[in-house]
Every structure is written in C-alpha cells, then in structure tokens.
Amino acid sequence: MEEFNYLAPESFDQAVVAKSQHAEKSRVIAGGTDLLLRMRDKVVAPSVLIDLRHTSLDKILISNGVMILGTSASLSQILENSEITQHFPALQTACREFAGPPIRNRATLGGNIVNASPAADLVPPLMAYDASIVLRASGGDRALPLAEFFTGPGQSVIAPDEILMEIQIPLLPASSAATFIKLGQRRSMAISQVNLTARLSMNNSDCVTDARIALGAVAPTPVRAHSAEDALVGEKLSEDLIRMAAKKAREEITPISDVRASLEYRLEMTEVLVRRALIATWKKQRRTKTSG
Amino acid sequence: MSDLAIVGKWTAAPGAREIVTGQARYCPDIQLPGMACGKLLYSPYARARIVKLNVSAARKLPGVFAVITHEDIPGENSYLYAEPDQPLLAVDEVRFQGDAVAAVAAIDARAADAALAAIRVEYEELPGIFNPLEAMQPTADQVLKGHDNVMMSQVYRTGDVDAAIESADIVIENTYRTQWAEHAYLEVEGGVGLVDHDGGITVYSSCQAPHRDRMQIARALGMSESMVRVITPYIGGAFGAKDEAHVQIHAGLLAHAAQRPVHLIRERRESILTHVKRHPMIIDYTTAATKEGQLLAVKARVIADGGPYSNSTHEVVNKCGEFIGGPYNVENLEVEKIAVRTNNPICGAFRGFGAPQAAFVYESQMDDLAHKLNIDPLQIRLLNGVETGTKMYTGVVVREASGMKESLNKAAKLIDWEKRDEIERNPKPHLRRGFGMATILKGAGLGRGLNDHAGVVLEMHRDGSVVLKSAAADMGQGIITVMAQLAAERLGIDIASIRVARADTEKAPDAGASCASRQVMVSGNAVLEAADSIRDTLLGLAVRKTKISKDRLDLRAGHLVVDGKPHEMTVKDLALRAGVWGYPLHAESISHFEYPTDVPEVTYRYSTEVFQFCTHIAQVLVDCETGQVTVEKLVAVHDVGKMINPGGVYGQIEGGIAQGIGYALTEELIVQNGLTKNPSLENYIIPMAFDIPELEMEVIEFPEPVGAPLGAKGIAEAPIIPPAPAIRNAIYDALGKPLYQLPMTPERILPVVNLDD
Ligand SMILES: Cc1cc2nc3c(=O)[nH]c(=O)nc-3n(C[C@H](O)[C@H](O)[C@H](O)COP(=O)(O)OP(=O)(O)OC[C@H]3O[C@@H](n4cnc5c(N)ncnc54)[C@H](O)[C@@H]3O)c2cc1C
C-alpha cells in the first residue's frame, strides 16, 4: 500500500471542501471494505483519504413520500430498519444475503454504489425501486436516477470533486411487490454470479401495470431488462408470459466468463432466475390481495 | 485394569483459553527487539529463464539489512523432503508461478517492499509444459533439466487381473479427474529467524515437522544440526502443507545474513501461489465383478501432476495406490502409479495423502456397480468389505476390521437407509433429492520400512506438577491434549497439573512429523512408556512407605489408591518424598511404530497396517435448473479404536467433513497455463457455516490390538475422505446420472440433468 494522508472532517461541509481541494488525488472512505482491498492490490493509490465517519450521513428517514438513506448507512442499519422492511423488503433481502455480519456492520450503501461493481448486490433492488441519488460538490448538488450513474466496471459519472450524499426512493403503491434473488458459489460470503430484482405492480385483474427487472453481474454495469419489462406491462400475467419475459431478459444481457461463472451459465441463470423472481413476485401480490 | 479416569472424557484442551481469548502467540505475533521484516520475491511466470538477476540497487536502499539470492546461500540451495530438487532460491530458471528468486530483510515492510521493487530480474519467458499427458511423452521438453518428466512410474500387481476381468459378469471402466485443492488454513506459512549468542540459528516455525525443518535449515546454512534450533509457537492449521518446509528456511538464512531477527510471513496470495497443493489426478479405473456383486478385480492407472518439483509426490501417489481398492476384498488388483513434472503448481501432502482421490474413485465405482446390477449400495459394500484377518490386496492382514461393517450398519441406521424412499424425492418440479454413501479406510503411520518413531521427556517435580516435553507439532489437531491426558491417566493426576511444552528441538527428541494420523500412536506410546516409568518409581516409594504390595496400589485423582479406595497419601506426597530421597522423577522414551514380524510377507511397498474405518452417508437436494447442490444432512460413523479426547475426535470429524464438502462441491484452484486465477479466499470457495449441513456423528471403538496406546489409532485424516464420494453418489441417486470429476460445480452438474427423467 502506498503512503497517504488521512482526513476525518468534522462535518459534511468540510468533507466536501476537502474533496474539491484534493479531487483526483483523493478518495472517500466509508466502510473501506472495497477501497482498502483495492489499495492493497495497488489498483488505486489515493494520496488522501477522506473518512466520512463524523459527517452524520447514516440517517434513514421518510420525508414527503420519499425514503432518504444517507450514503453511510451500513447494511446492518438497513437490515434493522422497520420502515425499509415495510416498504422495500427486497433491499433487505439483498442485505441479508450480503457477505457476513462483520462486513455488513462496516460496509455502507453508498460504498456499494460508488464502487460501481457490476455485481453489487444492493444496486438491482435500488434500481427496481426507482432510486435516485444525490451527489454534492462545493458547487452544489446534482440528482440523477441511479440507473444513469454507472458507465462500466468500476466506472461511474461521479466527478472527482463530488461526494455521494444520499439515496432517495419514492414510496410505492401497495399494489407493488418485489423479489431479490442472488446466485453465489456458496450461501454466505459470496460475490454474486448473477443477482436481480423483479418488481411488479398489478391491477385487480392480474394485469401488469408496471414492471422493473434489474440485473447484476451480467453486463459491464447493473442493467435493466427493458424489453422484458415492456413485454409484461399491459398484459395479464401468466406462466407463459413470465417465461417469455425471462427469455427476453436473457437476450438483453452481455455477460462475460470469469472465475465465478461462465458466460453461458450466466445467460442460462438469468432466464431461470428472472422467471423465478417474477413468479415469486406474482405470488406475493396474490398474498397481499387475499390478506388485504 | 481399573476404568479410565481421564482418557475418553471431555476435557478443556491445554491452551484453549489462550486461543479463544487471543493470547496465544502465533508466528505473526512474535516481536523481538531489532526484528527485521523479511520478504521473498516470487516468480510471476510459470516458466522462464532468468537472464539477469541484479540486487545491487536493492542492497543500497536505506533500511535494507540483507538481500540474498542463490549465490548467498552458504549451504545447500534446496528443500529436502524426499529429493533435493526444489531450489530455495531459483538459479537460472523459474519453473512455477511462485518459485522464489530472492529474499530481503529490511527495517520494516515498506523498506522490504522497496527492496523487492529494486531487484532487477530479467526473465525470458519459456513455453511451459502444463498438460501432464503431454509431459509424459518421451519427446516432451524436460521441465527440470536432467530429470525425466515422469518422476515416478511403478506398477503393483497381485493375483491375475486380466484373467479375472475376462471371467467377470460385469466390467465397469471409467476415467476420473480431480482438482488442485488448497489447504486454506487460518494461519499462512511463516517463520521467525534469530541469531543465538554462539552464532547458531533459532527459528520459530509454523510447521508440522520441527526436526525435519532443523535438518533443512542446517543444510541451507551449512551448519551442523546442533547449531540450529526450531521452536513451534501456536500454529493455526497445517493440513499437510506445512509438513514440507516453506519460508522458515529463508527466515533462518535471512537472520544469518542480516545478523538480526527476521520475521518472514507470507501474505494469503503468496501462500496460495507457493505452497504445495493436493495433486490433481487422472485415474482410469476398471472394476470387474460377478453378477451378484462380488468384486473380482480392480485395475487402475493413476496419473498425478506434481508440478516441477518432487516434494512429497512419491509418498502421496504411493498412498493413493495403496488404498486404490478401498476397504474391500479384492484378490486381483493392478495399479499403475505415475507422477509427472509440469510447470503447474507444486503439489504435496494434504490431509489424507492421496487417499481422498482414491476413495472418490473406488466409492464412485461401487455405486456404478450397484446401479448396474441393481443391488443396494449398502449390501454391495457389506458383501465385499474386509474383515478382521482378511489379507488385503496389499498383502497386509487386517488385524482389526470390525469397524468397516459396523460403521456401514450404524450409518445406515442413523439415516434410516432402508426407509429413504419414503422421503420426498421430488419436493418441487425442479428439485431432486438423493442419498449416497461412502465407506473408506485410511492407514495410520508412515508405513512398514519407514523410519517412524517419536520421543518424549517427562518430569514430575517435587510439588507433583509435571512438564511434558515433546517435539510433536500441534497445529490445532490436539496432540498436546492427548499426550497430557495419557500422562495424567497413568500418573493419577489431573491434566491441569501437566504443562506440555510446545515443540522445540532443543527440549525434546525427534517426534517426526505430525502427519499420517500417526502422533496419537507413536507419541502416545512414548508418553505411556515415560509415564509408566515415573509411575513405577512413585508406586515403589508407596510400597516402601505403606508396606502394601504393589499390585494392590494405583494412582488416581491425585491420590494413592489401595484396593480401589483412596489412601490419605497423595501423588504430591509421593513426589515430594521422591525429591527428598533422591529418586529423580524423570523419564525419556522413544517409541517406534510397531510392525509385527510374525505376519505373512507384505508386498505393497511402505504399506500401513493399522486402519481407520468410517462411513458417511449424505442426503442432498439438487436444484436441476441452477445445478446447485445442497447437502441437507450428513451422518458419519468413525472407528477410532479408542477415543482418548472426545472433543478432539468430534472436532476432527466436523472439520474434516466441512473440508470434504468443499472438496466435493466448490474448491478448485483454477490454473491456466500454469497461472493460478483465483489465489484468494474470495474466489477459492471453501464452505462457510451455512454450507455445512446438520451433522450426525458417532464414534465406535474397536481397539487396535497391536502397538496402539489403549487401542487408539488416530482420526485426523479419515473424515475428509468420504464426503466427496458420498455426495457424488447422492447426486447420482438424485439425478440418475453419474459424475466423474471434482469438484461437482453447478456448471458440471447441469449438463447431466434431464428434467424429463
Ligand atoms: C469479505 C467481503 C465480502 C463482500 N461481500 C459482498 C457482497 O456479498 N455483495 C456485494 O455487493 N459486495 C460485497 N463486498 C464488497 C463491499 O463490501 C461492498 O461493495 C460495500 O458496500 C462497500 O461499502 P464500503 O462502505 O466498505 O465502501 P468503501 O470501500 O469505503 O468504498 C468503496 C468505493 O466507494 C467510494 N465511496 C464510498 N462512499 C462514498 C461517497 N459517499 N461518495 C463518494 N465515493 C464514495 C470509495 O472512495 C471507494 O472507491 C464484500 C467485500 C468483502 C471484503
């Protein structure tokens, strides 16, 4: 690891100033569970680390129909939050299947996003829930849909002087349900071979009014399966329709082979898991209807 | 004989408190005044010529105490396990990714890194030899100049295999492939070297064989063995890879070169890239049987990829051949054992020494045979299993084999084998459930004809406390507890009164390596002998004092016992008396592994004669769409002869099963053109707690009649062996399709799945 200066600003404003000052030479450190490994392997060598630990960016709250998650919220905090259980259960499922307890105590939501791994587990549920993010620089704030953030493996549109401040998710109508599924090489402490979230909104006659399918580890960035979504919207849900949508999702992705899985396996699993996620979501819909 | 007070009872292991509270000191924890940081420069290439190696710039850097290359090694530039063919520091060529080229010692890690970076090595990459089948060809380029690529080629035959195959009702022939497997111990390899007052060298070593380390360090330094001392601090696992030396030799060399203490600890990535792996093997196997399922013949050819250097390849491949017929009565057997040099990772010892590869194959064959003949897998095993007195295909007569069939029957009962068809086999359209068993044998000890002994030193002090000195390395497997229990049992004291010194070549005689499930037997016997000698002295004093004849006396729970009742005189009293009267309570004993001479001539070279038997049965659920396998349940029944430390025995079984499940399903070093693609625990997938199923374990005890302390015959290796074939057979049962390659990853399972079956 190369030598670096370590700053732990007492406020977010100071952190933003430090970031604009040190720009390219600096990195924000949150939990450090990605960054420190990359520094050890000399993939990155920042000369300044800006630690967000004193900046109170870990709050989770609902305001004006929007859930706001501070970038530094840890996965454990997300798991414990009952409002997230109520509104965004698929995000919690993703947290539960993420690493193990020690990493979940340190790792942050913002770190998972800015790290921009195509396999990041929290991104598909956030994308399926239409999350947007707010970036701050000394010049001001910038909000954008999460889906527009990523540009490639480890690459995003974040500028060298920007810090991710918060993630915003609009509260959803009760008619919406979602399912997260992760496929890994073991049951915990696994980086996803494929991960995804499917979300469906439906009317009383089983007709899909809105659909989201967000996939990870099957393209250079997390992606939405738009043509699969389009195939569902406006249609009455059936097993055949779901099968067809799952096939379309498979056709939309561009996976690679690596040590975790082959390209072929990822294609195949995408179809299987999209189908399973849609069926599970459909079942959840029925359950909420019969119980409510 | 009175019943046992300590042996067979649950006990807190000496050192357990230190380990769980973080007080135990392992090599990485050692800090000495003036200690330098040592590092090695490893080859990034699988094969390259060293055109230029220049360390002068590195030597001039501030804070650098020593930079050494092969030229600076005062003694022999080689490891020595069997053959001295692996250089400590490469000379003109690197032959695998991880061959060490230079070593540095510097004031801290940063300076050491800078020194490594300043070493100029010019490599000319050479075409490597990566396919063992190609390496075997006579025309192939030599991996190690002057050495045949085929480093071992032996055939062992008994009976008339071809005639038996000819006459058989059924012949099954398959080719099996196994993978490189990584030990993945918690503590990676490390050593700390320091210079003694008289110029000698002491090395703290994370190892399994302190005396062999001493010999290798002395050789490299060109010193006499008496000038070198090896001490093992706490060790965080070894599983065979630390049977062979690693960086402790370099720690000694650097300490000598820098004339100050040097701390040399590998990083995880370095560890995975450089230490020996479990050999990948290609095994062709033919089984011939009658239509009733009686085995007639086995014919096998084993090809092991050993990497460029021999390490313990001969020993591993020899053991693979020794167990190739399994715990079965096979009168006609032929096994061809071939080991090949390549530019792939070096390979060597790993828990089981070739037996896991053999068992994967012979137990898979048993199920293929059972399926083809429509015989129950349990019955076909019972039909062919060895029995006490059976003369095995190796020529060895099994002295106690009751555990073979008993473990099968017990395991079958535990999982309700007969009623397995009443369990839902198809709980969802895409899920298939199956049951599979594997029963195995593993010999304890190094084998007939090999130097297999251990010594201990035992002292009782005037206050009745005891020090036990042994050079048997405890890597976490628990030999220290076993030795303390055995001594305490014979001396009538509790184990808390015994301090077992950690292995140190200057305190205790050679105990050999902690490998081959041997220490309970060899060191165990040595402890009993030494303890009995002190016990004799104590009882002699008791006779003098009480005038009661010796045969009525015993020592137990800290007291002299007369006719089974505690006497007021304590062991402490006797110890004090011994001190005052001048009877030293000091005993040394060296015990040799016993190979009786009154047996028929043994024909398989270096065969073992004491066998651990065990049976595992796995229940699995296969997701036919993703190929994922869930091991839902695993039952394990092990014959240990006599259980000395239940906590240790169950711990070994649990750990072995976990490691065996990894070997079966996920663990695989991915090596392409000699380069390892997953040298990290992120991508080398060992199982975690959630991957381990409900385990049901049972220990059975058929005391070993010869040479075993109280009948105990060790446990450490057996448990890793059956999970892979048991799981393979369960997958076969679930899918109706057999697999022939490890690990059985989803991507290898999917192609054989047919949901319409
Ligand atoms: C053992 C282990 C297991 C893991 N398992 C999983 C898993 O199952 N699923 C998964 O998706 N990931 C996993 N990871 C990866 C990692 O834990 C996650 O990506 C985690 O969410 C990163 O968060 P962090 O707070 O540690 O980020 P850090 O490492 O602190 O930062 C990551 C990157 O984001 C940048 N950054 C962080 N916060 C901000 C901010 N507010 N503004 C601008 N830049 C910022 C940093 O500069 C850095 O480049 C695992 C990692 C380890 C070590």
Side-chain angles (χ1 to χ4, degrees):
Chain A
M1 212 180 270
E2 301 301 313
E3 220 161 288
F4 56 84
N5 285 325
Y6 172 80
L7 308 177
E10 292 300 322
S11 71
F12 186 44
D13 288 345
Q14 286 175 20
V16 172
V17 170
K19 190 74 183 109
S20 72
Q21 225 168 36
H22 300 288
E24 285 93 351
K25 294 200 302 294
S26 70
R27 289 271 170 158
V28 167
I29 180 164
T33 61
D34 273 317
L35 184 62
L36 292 179
L37 272 63
R38 286 166 163 251
M39 288 170 65
R40 181 199 63 189
D41 295 342
K42 304 201 165 81
V43 179
V44 293
S47 49
V48 179
L49 286 191
I50 303 167
D51 194 329
L52 297 184
R53 66 175 60 221
H54 302 309
T55 58
S56 310
L57 286 176
D58 60 353
K59 301 210 170 38
I60 301 174
L61 52 94
I62 293 179
S63 159
N64 294 326
V66 176
M67 170 153 274
I68 298 170
L69 299 111
T71 180
S72 302
S74 71
L75 275 81
S76 298
Q77 274 174 278
I78 295 172
L79 269 173
E80 281 157 17
N81 188 293
S82 59
E83 281 170 337
I84 300 180
T85 314
Q86 190 191 335
H87 297 287
F88 308 109
L91 182 61
Q92 276 184 342
T93 313
C95 289
R96 208 170 292 118
E97 299 196 9
F98 189 109
I103 294 286
R104 292 201 292 262
N105 289 338
R106 284 205 69 84
T108 65
L109 176 60
N112 197 238
I113 294 170
V114 182
N115 190 56
S117 159
D121 281 327
L122 304 190
V123 172
L126 290 173
M127 273 170 55
Y129 286 130
D130 293 338
S132 55
I133 58 174
V134 181
L135 302 168
R136 175 166 293 181
S138 46
D141 288 357
R142 164 159 91 113
L144 69 157
L146 178 60
E148 293 170 16
F149 181 69
F150 306 103
T151 54
Q155 306 292 318
S156 70
V157 299
I158 197 166
D161 64 342
E162 282 179 321
I163 299 181
L164 172 61
M165 183 170 79
E166 66 192 29
I167 294 88
Q168 302 183 345
I169 323 178
L171 297 187
L172 296 161
S175 64
S176 179
T179 305
F180 171 85
I181 300 183
K182 164 174 178 169
L183 194 70
Q185 290 168 286
R186 62 186 159 208
R187 284 163 184 262
S188 65
M189 299 300 282
I191 302 298
S192 291
Q193 296 166 298
V194 177
N195 58 18
L196 74 153
T197 302
R199 181 169 69 82
L200 294 173
S201 300
M202 288 160 66
N203 66 19
N204 284 331
S205 51
D206 253 6
C207 221
V208 179
T209 55
D210 202 6
R212 297 283 181 281
I213 299 171
L215 294 153
V218 293
T221 66
V223 288
R224 289 258 304 270
H226 289 289
S227 65
E229 293 171 357
D230 292 346
L232 293 165
V233 176
E235 302 293 322
K236 192 173 155 55
L237 212 52
S238 69
E239 292 228 6
D240 283 344
L241 182 68
I242 285 175
R243 272 176 202 284
M244 193 266 284
K247 276 216 167 58
K248 281 200 183 298
R250 173 195 186 130
E251 283 157 16
E252 275 177 88
I253 56 173
T254 52
I256 56 162
S257 291
D258 60 19
V259 288
R260 286 189 273 275
S262 69
L263 182 161
E264 295 75 19
Y265 187 66
R266 288 195 160 101
L267 286 173
E268 187 82 30
M269 290 309 103
T270 299
E271 183 174 344
V272 168
L273 298 181
V274 166
R275 191 188 77 226
R276 286 187 183 178
L278 287 170
I279 287 178
T281 310
W282 189 15
K283 279 191 186 147
K284 282 178 199 162
Q285 289 274 6
R286 285 185 177 158
R287 229 175 295 136
T288 31
K289 265 178 216 145
T290 43
S291 66
Chain B
M1 197 175 99
S2 60
D3 57 342
L4 298 164
I6 294 190
V7 165
K9 306 279 191 301
W10 288 79
T11 178
R17 175 183 296 275
E18 288 72 17
I19 292 170
V20 298
T21 57
Q23 303 303 304
R25 297 199 329 149
Y26 299 79
C27 269
D29 303 316
I30 293 174
Q31 289 297 331
L32 298 169
M35 189 169 78
C37 172
K39 289 193 185 231
L40 296 185
L41 185 69
Y42 297 102
S43 162
Y45 298 105
R47 189 181 188 198
R49 197 165 70 81
I50 299 174
V51 180
K52 229 180 257 159
L53 172 58
N54 187 337
V55 297
S56 54
R59 282 194 173 127
K60 287 191 200 111
L61 288 177
V64 174
F65 303 126
V67 180
I68 61 174
T69 70
H70 66 94
E71 288 178 351
D72 308 300
I73 296 178
E76 299 293 330
N77 179 20
S78 57
Y79 289 93
L80 181 53
Y81 185 95
E83 250 185 88
D85 61 354
Q86 179 177 358
L88 296 165
L89 293 172
V91 180
D92 47 9
E93 192 174 319
V94 288
R95 301 184 184 87
F96 77 105
Q97 181 189 22
D99 235 347
V101 176
V104 304
I107 196 159
D108 57 18
R110 179 174 303 276
D113 278 331
L116 290 183
I119 295 174
R120 301 271 164 266
V121 198
E122 196 183 306
Y123 293 103
E124 176 196 338
E125 209 180 340
L126 299 173
I129 299 162
F130 305 119
N131 180 340
L133 300 177
E134 286 169 16
M136 278 168 66
Q137 302 308 317
T139 51
D141 191 10
Q142 278 179 350
V143 171
L144 191 61
K145 294 268 162 336
H147 292 71
D148 203 333
N149 285 347
V150 177
M151 58 175 137
M152 171 182 188
S153 175
Q154 295 171 0
V155 182
Y156 171 80
R157 271 190 208 93
T158 184
D160 188 341
V161 172
D162 292 334
I165 291 176
E166 196 64 36
S167 71
D169 297 323
I170 179 166
V171 177
I172 295 178
E173 207 180 325
N174 290 302
T175 298
Y176 294 79
R177 279 163 214 277
T178 67
Q179 74 276 38
W180 280 281
E182 152 68 29
H183 307 65
Y185 24 63
L186 274 177
E187 185 209 349
V188 295
E189 308 89 83
V192 182
L194 56 118
V195 184
D196 288 324
H197 60 94
D198 57 357
I201 294 287
T202 291
V203 176
Y204 289 89
S205 173
S206 179
C207 73
Q208 289 173 246
H211 280 80
R212 199 191 310 114
D213 276 17
R214 184 181 68 179
M215 173 273 287
Q216 297 193 64
I217 294 164
R219 254 182 109 247
L221 284 164
M223 283 185 182
S224 65
E225 286 190 39
S226 55
M227 293 298 282
V228 176
R229 175 180 181 188
V230 172
I231 304 171
T232 69
Y234 278 84
I235 300 172
F239 307 115
K242 296 177 189 169
D243 192 7
E244 315 197 17
H246 39 81
V247 297
Q248 65 275 67
I249 305 178
H250 303 85
L253 287 169
L254 283 170
H256 179 70
Q259 285 294 303
R260 57 168 68 225
V262 175
H263 203 220
L264 179 47
I265 311 290
R266 276 184 180 146
E267 290 176 8
R268 178 65 68 181
R269 182 187 138 85
E270 294 173 340
S271 165
I272 296 179
L273 288 176
T274 56
H275 74 242
V276 293
K277 299 289 162 296
R278 190 188 292 292
H279 290 79
M281 293 187 184
I282 303 169
I283 304 181
D284 296 321
Y285 202 97
T286 306
T287 306
T290 66
K291 57 182 184 306
E292 291 77 28
Q294 188 84 50
L295 290 176
L296 295 175
V298 160
K299 186 172 183 171
R301 186 180 71 161
V302 176
I303 299 174
D305 180 348
Y309 307 119
S310 61
N311 304 92
S312 57
T313 289
H314 282 81
E315 291 71 15
V316 169
V317 178
N318 193 54
K319 287 290 154 208
C320 179
E322 180 182 339
F323 305 118
I324 200 78
Y328 302 112
N329 212 336
V330 187
E331 279 180 16
N332 305 290
L333 179 139
E334 178 181 313
V335 55
E336 186 180 2
K337 297 165 281 178
I338 300 171
V340 186
R341 292 185 203 267
T342 64
N343 293 107
N344 288 320
I346 52 171
C347 291
F350 190 163
R351 200 174 192 174
F353 247 83
Q357 293 96 323
F360 172 62
V361 175
Y362 63 72
E363 281 303 83
S364 296
Q365 288 287 111
M366 274 325 250
D367 264 43
D368 284 18
L369 191 60
H371 274 262
K372 288 241 162 74
L373 293 173
N374 207 11
I375 301 177
D376 186 288
L378 173 64
Q379 297 310 324
I380 200 164
R381 287 175 170 82
L382 289 170
L383 176 70
N384 289 290
V386 291
E387 289 173 347
T388 301
T390 296
K391 185 174 176 205
M392 299 250 305
Y393 43 86
T394 49
V396 171
V397 175
V398 190
R399 289 194 287 270
E400 175 53 83
S402 314
M404 194 270 164
K405 292 186 184 177
E406 182 68 8
S407 73
L408 272 167
N409 286 323
K410 274 250 157 73
K413 195 167 281 164
L414 280 179
I415 205 151
D416 228 348
W417 180 256
E418 302 304 329
K419 297 206 180 122
R420 67 194 187 283
D421 286 330
E422 291 169 23
I423 305 233
E424 180 56 75
R425 291 307 193 100
N426 211 351
K428 282 190 181 166
H430 64 281
L431 296 178
R432 298 272 193 279
R433 183 169 279 132
F435 296 82
M437 62 170 58
T439 189
I440 64 103
L441 86 171
K442 173 71 184 63
L446 301 177
R448 184 181 279 269
L450 293 169
N451 177 5
D452 199 347
H453 65 260
V456 296
V457 178
L458 197 62
E459 280 167 13
M460 184 178 267
H461 309 119
R462 284 173 185 222
D463 61 359
S465 68
V466 168
V467 167
L468 195 162
K469 300 173 190 169
S470 154
D474 194 325
M475 308 86 70
Q477 87 280 25
I479 186 60
I480 282 181
T481 313
V482 165
M483 291 191 294
Q485 281 179 290
L486 290 171
E489 184 72 50
R490 287 299 165 91
L491 296 172
I493 55 178
D494 57 13
I495 82 166
S497 332
I498 300 184
R499 181 175 201 204
V500 186
R502 297 204 62 88
D504 180 341
T505 57
E506 218 149 84
K507 284 187 188 154
D510 191 359
S514 292
C515 70
S517 307
R518 64 184 283 278
Q519 290 292 12
V520 162
M521 293 186 69
V522 268
S523 285
N525 276 331
V527 168
L528 284 183
E529 216 176 282
D532 280 345
S533 143
I534 291 180
R535 173 190 166 89
D536 244 31
T537 309
L538 293 171
L539 289 179
L541 291 168
V543 170
R544 258 174 78 176
K545 182 75 186 144
T546 63
K547 311 280 184 267
I548 301 171
S549 70
K550 205 166 172 183
D551 56 341
R552 293 172 54 199
L553 301 180
D554 194 2
L555 302 171
R556 199 180 171 93
H559 276 266
L560 178 69
V561 170
V562 181
D563 297 333
K565 291 190 195 70
H567 186 272
E568 58 175 28
M569 191 177 293
T570 61
V571 175
K572 272 189 187 176
D573 296 337
L574 290 168
L576 182 60
R577 213 165 283 278
V580 174
W581 291 354
Y583 288 86
L585 298 176
H586 175 103
E588 294 198 32
S589 165
I590 291 184
S591 144
H592 290 262
F593 211 102
E594 244 177 280
Y595 290 92
T597 47
D598 58 335
V599 293
E601 197 191 338
V602 176
T603 48
Y604 193 93
R605 199 152 169 245
Y606 305 138
S607 51
T608 49
E609 299 182 14
V610 173
F611 302 106
Q612 304 157 11
F613 294 100
C614 66
T615 301
H616 290 187
I617 304 182
Q619 175 186 324
V620 306
L621 192 63
V622 184
D623 184 325
C624 295
E625 288 179 338
T626 64
Q628 286 181 313
V629 174
T630 305
V631 182
E632 295 182 305
K633 188 173 178 174
L634 199 143
V635 305
V637 179
H638 283 257
D639 175 17
V640 300
K642 169 77 197 165
M643 179 151 63
I644 295 174
N645 172 18
V649 168
Y650 286 107
Q652 288 293 314
I653 298 175
E654 276 180 5
I657 291 171
Q659 224 169 10
I661 288 174
Y663 188 55
L665 295 177
T666 54
E667 293 188 32
E668 177 171 33
L669 207 69
I670 301 169
V671 180
Q672 287 165 6
N673 292 331
L675 302 181
T676 297
K677 299 297 171 186
N678 54 343
S680 86
L681 295 181
E682 175 188 344
N683 294 320
Y684 181 86
I685 307 292
I686 58 172
M688 298 290 193
F690 288 163
D691 304 292
I692 305 306
E694 180 192 337
L695 300 180
E696 232 178 294
M697 298 174 280
E698 199 170 313
V699 170
I700 53 179
E701 299 178 294
F702 291 100
E704 183 64 26
V706 179
L710 309 175
K713 56 187 179 183
I715 176 69
E717 295 169 296
I720 198 179
I721 302 172
I727 291 166
R728 181 268 186 190
N729 290 338
I731 295 172
Y732 187 177
D733 186 46
L735 300 178
K737 295 273 173 51
L739 291 161
Y740 297 99
Q741 186 172 5
L742 289 177
M744 297 171 286
T745 56
E747 296 200 45
R748 294 204 174 107
I749 288 175
L750 277 187
V752 310
V753 169
N754 184 352
L755 271 179
D756 305 328
D757 281 355

